[in-house]
Amino acid sequence: MSDDDQPQQDATPVTDPRDGDRPHENALTGPRDGDRPGEDTLKDPGPDGRSREEAVTVTGLRYAFGSSTAVDGLDLTVTSGEVFGLLGPNGAGKTTAIRCVTTLLPVPAGMVKVFGHDVTTDRMAVRRLLGYVPQQLSADAGLTGRENVALFARVFDVPRRERAARVAQALEAVGLAEVADRMAGTYSGGMVRRLELAQALISSPRLLILDEPTIGLDPIARTGVWDHIMAVRAASGMTVLVTTHYMDEADQYCDRVALMHQGRVRALGTPRRLTDDLRARRGDGTSPTLEDVFRDVAGSGLDDLDKGGEFRDVRRTRRTAARVG
């Protein structure tokens, strides 16, 4: 059953503890030389002697849609300044987890925090820290690119005297300044996703959340979107939390990744560390990919993806792909 298509009124957070909810035994959380810090070292002092700040902290998160559990005991920490990938197939629980972080789904207090602010008790403070690009398209084809971003500037209460400059800055950051006054309906798929990135950046967020930002795009457009994401991140130092089906993207752009399956994290670490660990365990001289790692930790459970609920996932994906393509 898809975690994206269930009616929200039937959704309930699940808080009862259950044994066996820790990541797969192959999950990797400790640091290695040259790697991003693991969860067990996130509070250790950095090179400047100061502790690394936790951008996102998720503790024991469970969420169910009726009788179907979408997220099942999620523990996760995202470090300030890193690009963190939440990976997995349709129905893995990625989007549900993201919606909990963005305050779009209700959760019990204490389960999810963003830069120390509880998403339940301090919701507005959390929202002011976020930029969010959802999987479903949010740009209005009947407005120009500039008008779309200006609309978000008003929604995010950007001061009137700053709006024009901030809108122009956001459009410039994603490479759309020259086409800003064209109707968004004339944009290519890659341009639309970059426009939505500009919308998310208008509030100067500390945390940028991207849910399948390159879905339905061709390889060139996918690369273009990621080039702009990484350029903005390098210039601002913001934290990026992204979900994706594309393991090659995660391998190239993410500092750390968590592989989810059936609502749980099955492996956690840097892409290189996860693939190195699998290579060592195989001992056959092959060079595994992140997809190989995922198949290893998820095992035969991937066969369950052929059962129930997946028609909705395919329909939603094709609908989005058609709109950006």
Side-chain angles (χ1 to χ4, degrees):
M1 183 174 293
S2 166
D3 55 272
D4 295 318
D5 289 310
Q6 301 301 318
Q8 183 168 330
Q9 62 268 28
D10 293 333
T12 55
V14 182
T15 58
D16 293 336
R18 184 185 305 169
D19 293 334
D21 291 332
R22 307 305 300 175
H24 187 278
E25 62 181 358
N26 292 330
L28 302 170
T29 57
R32 283 187 181 181
D33 293 341
D35 282 350
R36 301 289 301 185
E39 285 193 68
D40 53 344
T41 62
L42 290 175
K43 294 183 180 179
D44 288 348
D48 57 4
R50 293 181 296 180
S51 295
R52 298 181 178 94
E53 187 176 13
E54 294 179 354
V56 178
T57 308
V58 180
T59 307
L61 176 64
R62 286 188 176 84
Y63 209 94
F65 295 92
S67 60
S68 177
T69 299
V71 178
D72 191 10
L74 180 62
D75 293 303
L76 203 62
T77 304
V78 179
T79 314
S80 178
E82 75 175 333
V83 179
F84 190 97
L86 198 56
L87 315 180
N90 290 335
K94 306 183 306 295
T95 294
T96 297
I98 289 295
R99 288 177 177 172
C100 291
V101 173
T102 57
T103 78
L104 296 178
L105 290 177
V107 297
M111 278 192 171
V112 182
K113 294 183 179 181
V114 175
F115 288 105
H117 296 278
D118 192 292
V119 300
T120 299
T121 61
D122 206 1
R123 182 175 301 178
M124 292 310 298
V126 169
R127 290 181 176 178
R128 292 187 185 99
L129 296 169
L130 299 179
Y132 178 41
V133 178
Q135 186 175 145
Q136 291 77 18
L137 297 186
S138 58
D140 189 333
L143 299 176
T144 66
R146 191 181 309 277
E147 289 168 341
N148 267 286
V149 180
L151 177 61
F152 273 70
R154 294 180 62 186
V155 170
F156 282 102
D157 287 329
V158 174
R160 183 184 298 270
R161 63 183 178 276
E162 299 178 16
R163 283 179 193 166
R166 292 270 290 273
V167 168
Q169 184 181 32
L171 289 165
E172 180 69 31
V174 299
L176 293 178
E178 294 185 1
V179 295
D181 296 311
R182 275 175 44 187
M183 301 297 287
T186 68
Y187 285 7
S188 67
M191 292 167 68
V192 170
R193 289 314 249 178
R194 284 154 51 196
L195 175 61
E196 293 179 314
L197 178 59
Q199 292 172 171
L201 294 173
I202 194 64
S203 62
S204 300
R206 294 183 65 189
L207 172 63
L208 178 64
I209 298 180
L210 308 165
D211 192 5
E212 301 287 354
T214 58
I215 189 171
L217 301 183
D218 63 64
I220 295 176
R222 285 169 55 192
T223 299
V225 170
W226 269 107
D227 284 347
H228 286 90
I229 292 170
M230 299 305 288
V232 171
R233 180 249 188 160
S236 65
M238 69 182 176
T239 307
V240 179
L241 173 59
V242 59
T243 74
T244 181
H245 289 98
Y246 300 121
M247 299 293 176
D248 59 325
E249 290 184 354
D251 194 14
Q252 181 173 355
Y253 299 109
C254 293
D255 298 309
R256 290 191 303 143
V257 298
L259 301 177
M260 289 189 69
H261 182 46
Q262 296 179 341
R264 302 182 184 183
V265 171
R266 306 292 177 163
L268 175 65
T270 67
R272 180 171 180 177
R273 184 174 179 183
L274 292 172
T275 54
D276 282 353
D277 178 75
L278 180 56
R279 182 185 299 113
R281 287 188 287 106
R282 281 181 170 178
D284 57 7
T286 60
S287 298
T289 64
L290 270 182
E291 183 173 349
D292 295 325
V293 173
F294 182 78
R295 290 188 173 277
D296 178 69
V297 298
S300 60
L302 286 174
D303 296 337
D304 294 337
L305 296 178
D306 295 330
K307 302 175 183 178
E310 291 309 302
F311 178 82
R312 291 177 175 175
D313 292 315
V314 172
R315 181 183 61 190
R316 185 186 66 254
T317 300
R318 288 182 176 175
R319 183 169 61 241
T320 302
R323 292 182 64 188
V324 299

